[in-house]
């Protein structure tokens, strides 16, 4: 009989813990909203242009959208998600090329210099369907074609 009570105690312990974690967290939701900053950027280079709109949460987590219009190719449009690590913003860019294409995903890196974000160029590797920058190869921010400057968010 004691074994049966002990088994019930172990089964209900995770349930009791998870119920205590949910709660009504309205003050936490307000704190998150007040910690969110919206920043918008534009860039152009030799007929190509780009618009980057970001929502930055907790000073490091980033979510937003990026539109790149090429002069002689279809545009890329998609979402970015990532975070700042020091003065560098690392994101995954999930995008479509033109209209009706299948989706693609690439890592992007932006170096923050003053109020600007400079897109870098690096060696990308894909493993198990996920692309990432190769760890031993530095990202070159001088070769990047887009230097984003702040603009008013629409």
């Amino acid at each position: 009989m004691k074994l049966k009570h002990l088994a019930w105690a172990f089964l209900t312990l995770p349930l009791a813990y998870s119920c205590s974690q949910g709660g009504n967290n309205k003050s936490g939701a307000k704190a998150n909203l007040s910690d969110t900053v919206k920043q918008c950027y534009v860039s152009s280079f030799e007929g190509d242009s780009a618009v980057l709109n970001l929502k930055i949460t907790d000073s490091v987590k980033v979510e937003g959208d990026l539109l790149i219009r090429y002069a002689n190719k279809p545009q890329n449009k998609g979402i970015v998600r990532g975070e700042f690590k020091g003065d560098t913003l690392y994101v995954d860019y999930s995008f479509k090329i033109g209209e009706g294409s299948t989706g693609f995903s690439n890592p992007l890196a932006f170096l923050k210099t003053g109020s600007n974000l400079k897109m870098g160029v690096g060696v990308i590797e894909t493993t198990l369907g996920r692309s990432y920058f190769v760890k031993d190869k530095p990202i070159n921010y001088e070769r990047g074609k887009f230097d984003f400057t702040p603009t008013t968010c629409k």
Side-chain angles (χ1 to χ4, degrees), residues 111-140:
L111 181 63
K112 187 165 180 99
T113 54
S115 58
N116 290 8
L117 290 174
K118 177 75 174 174
M119 184 188 290
V121 175
V123 178
I124 297 174
E125 191 169 81
T126 303
T127 303
L128 299 172
R130 178 151 168 89
S131 298
Y132 54 91
F133 287 109
V134 176
K135 290 182 183 179
D136 297 339
K137 306 284 182 180
I139 297 170
N140 186 331

Side-chain angles (χ1 to χ4, degrees), residues 40-83:
C40 301
Y41 299 88
V42 293
S43 182
S44 62
F45 180 82
E46 295 181 358
D48 299 339
S49 63
V51 178
L52 177 64
N53 299 312
L54 301 176
K55 290 181 190 169
I56 304 169
T57 309
D58 297 331
S59 300
V60 293
K61 295 180 183 176
V62 175
E63 194 173 297
D65 56 79
L66 174 60
L67 170 65
I68 302 174
R69 291 185 183 106
Y70 293 106
N72 300 316
K73 295 190 255 181
Q75 70 180 16
N76 292 359
K77 183 177 183 177
I79 57 172
V80 293
R81 286 193 182 100
E83 65 183 53

